[in-house]
Amino acid sequence: TSYPSIVGEMLASGFGIIGFSWICSPACTELEVVVMDWLAKFLKLPEHFQHASDGPGGGVIQGSASEAVLVAVLAAREQAVISCKETHPELSESEVRGKLIAYSSDQSNSCIEKAGVLAAMPIKLLPADDDLILRGNTLRKAIEDDVAAGLIPVICIATLGTTGTCAYDDIDSLADVCQALNVWLHVDAAYAGGGFALEECTELRRGLDRVDSLNFNLHKFMLVNFDCSAMWLKDANKVVDSFNVDRIYLKHKHEGQSQIPDFRHWQIPLGRRFRALKVWITFRTLGAEGLRSHVRKHIALAQQFEAFVRNDSRFEMVAPQALGLVCFRPRGDNEHTAQLLQRL
Ligand code: PLP
């Protein structure tokens, strides 16, 4: 975290804004629109994720990666139900819902599996290849088998930067399958998203122009204190239309204008905190270059630590060093690793 972010957090608490719609606090909504577009540019995301683009895309700040994933899973589920009711009028809604199925890798974070539990939709954890990467051929085979068994594929959640080893799923080959079979593709880049900002990590962003949604935790790599999880959608209407529940007391006369979203439709709770303030203050104080050097510093530290491991015969690497993560273990019995962990 950083002092600028903590100041932003204190100010937001002091203002006491509960910005569920634009009218509650125009600054709360509009600053979020501004910082999410800044961030999209900073991370060099495809232009369609910006609010300022011509299309229906945009970004929103969620509390956690778990919430962002759940929002994507729920929206994909509702969109699948709508389209299946059109293509299969003979099926009742409960029959359709009973056939839905989602996919991720066995290396994905626990929050993916939990999203499936909360969304009442099974998520198959497909085996990653030996390098712990999920690729399109595994996904295609699983989907084809499931379709043959009468199931309806809804969403695949890929990971850029897995929790275990910071492995990067092959977004390009997964997108080939998802686009061909009309499956929503979400990318969980909770940790590794910080790498998108660096020229030398351009490879990480390959295929992102073909994903429907993605999330990145600013509280992991961007010096912003917990909680602050950025989420972008290629077509925000798919989320808004899925979650839109209105009451007379929520209406205001500026509703529906493209530049003033009511973010309550993009998330699970009604009320929302003024998180954009801490992002804005952090960016204004440290600057884009300051944040890039912070990420670079962590990568350099990891490389230095990797060299320590490689030069010490007591230890070995378990996976290649990736961004700030070095997976290593004492050689020999796994018990040594358990003991070291305990002592640490
Ligand atoms: N996704 C990945 C890849 C993670 O590493 C983590 C946490 O470590 C999460 C999701 C969950 O993040 P959150 O605590 O913001 O829900």
Side-chain angles (χ1 to χ4, degrees), residues 63-67 109 111 159 161-163 188 190-191 217 219-220 226 229:
S64 66
S66 310
E67 281 171 63
N109 186 261
C111 74
T159 312
T162 56
T163 309
D188 172 18
Y191 169 69
N217 280 356
H219 58 249
K220 281 203 164 75
F226 187 80
S229 187

Side-chain angles (χ1 to χ4, degrees), residues 134-142 170 172-177:
L134 179 67
R135 294 190 171 79
N137 48 2
T138 308
L139 177 66
R140 184 182 296 278
K141 168 90 180 57
D170 182 12
D172 254 343
S173 66
L174 294 171
D176 286 344
V177 177

Side-chain angles (χ1 to χ4, degrees), residues 136-152:
N137 48 2
T138 308
L139 177 66
R140 184 182 296 278
K141 168 90 180 57
I143 292 183
E144 284 171 358
D145 288 352
D146 286 342
V147 170
L151 298 180
I152 303 167

Side-chain angles (χ1 to χ4, degrees), residues 90-324:
E90 75 285 2
L91 295 177
S92 70
E93 181 162 332
S94 61
E95 280 171 327
V96 169
R97 288 187 185 276
K99 291 174 185 291
L100 303 179
I101 180 95
Y103 307 89
S104 192
S105 109
D106 57 3
Q107 296 300 309
S108 62
N109 186 261
S110 56
C111 74
I112 312 291
E113 195 177 340
K114 188 169 179 180
V117 173
L118 293 170
M121 179 166 63
I123 296 197
K124 272 197 180 166
L125 299 180
L126 304 173
D129 291 342
D130 288 346
D131 51 7
L132 305 177
I133 292 172
L134 179 67
R135 294 190 171 79
N137 48 2
T138 308
L139 177 66
R140 184 182 296 278
K141 168 90 180 57
I143 292 183
E144 284 171 358
D145 288 352
D146 286 342
V147 170
L151 298 180
I152 303 167
V154 172
I155 181 171
C156 171
I157 302 112
T159 312
L160 284 177
T162 56
T163 309
T165 62
C166 201
Y168 310 118
D169 286 343
D170 182 12
I171 305 303
D172 254 343
S173 66
L174 294 171
D176 286 344
V177 177
C178 289
Q179 284 185 337
L181 302 172
N182 198 22
V183 169
W184 183 304
L185 180 56
H186 178 85
V187 168
D188 172 18
Y191 169 69
F196 298 164
L198 307 184
E199 254 342 300
E200 59 272 31
C201 297
T202 306
E203 247 327 88
L204 280 187
R205 278 183 268 112
R206 204 151 56 90
L208 287 186
D209 52 324
R210 301 167 69 199
V211 312
D212 296 285
S213 51
L214 77 145
N215 65 273
F216 159 57
N217 280 356
L218 281 97
H219 58 249
K220 281 203 164 75
F221 226 159
M222 231 14 63
L223 287 169
V224 176
N225 62 293
F226 187 80
D227 54 352
C228 196
S229 187
M231 178 186 193
W232 286 273
L233 296 145
K234 196 174 198 168
D235 183 354
N237 292 330
K238 289 188 177 164
V239 169
V240 172
D241 295 345
S242 302
F243 301 154
N244 196 335
V245 173
D246 258 325
R247 290 287 184 279
I248 189 81
Y249 47 81
L250 295 171
K251 291 197 179 302
H252 62 86
K253 67 179 182 182
H254 302 283
E255 270 178 349
Q257 292 184 33
S258 63
Q259 286 312 311
I260 48 169
D262 281 337
F263 279 127
R264 72 173 185 277
H265 300 308
W266 299 47
Q267 61 172 20
I268 292 161
L270 174 62
R272 56 200 325 274
R273 306 193 312 114
F274 193 177
R275 297 188 186 95
L277 194 57
K278 60 186 176 185
V279 181
W280 185 79
I281 295 181
T282 305
F283 267 72
R284 295 290 290 188
T285 311
L286 304 176
E289 204 41 53
L291 290 164
R292 276 191 286 265
S293 4
H294 171 72
V295 178
R296 285 197 175 105
K297 183 177 141 195
H298 278 261
I299 296 173
L301 285 170
Q303 287 165 344
Q304 190 184 4
F305 188 79
E306 182 194 6
F308 294 158
V309 172
R310 289 196 186 281
N311 289 325
D312 190 323
S313 58
R314 292 171 299 171
F315 297 103
E316 63 186 352
M317 294 287 288
V318 178
Q321 167 266 334
L323 298 180

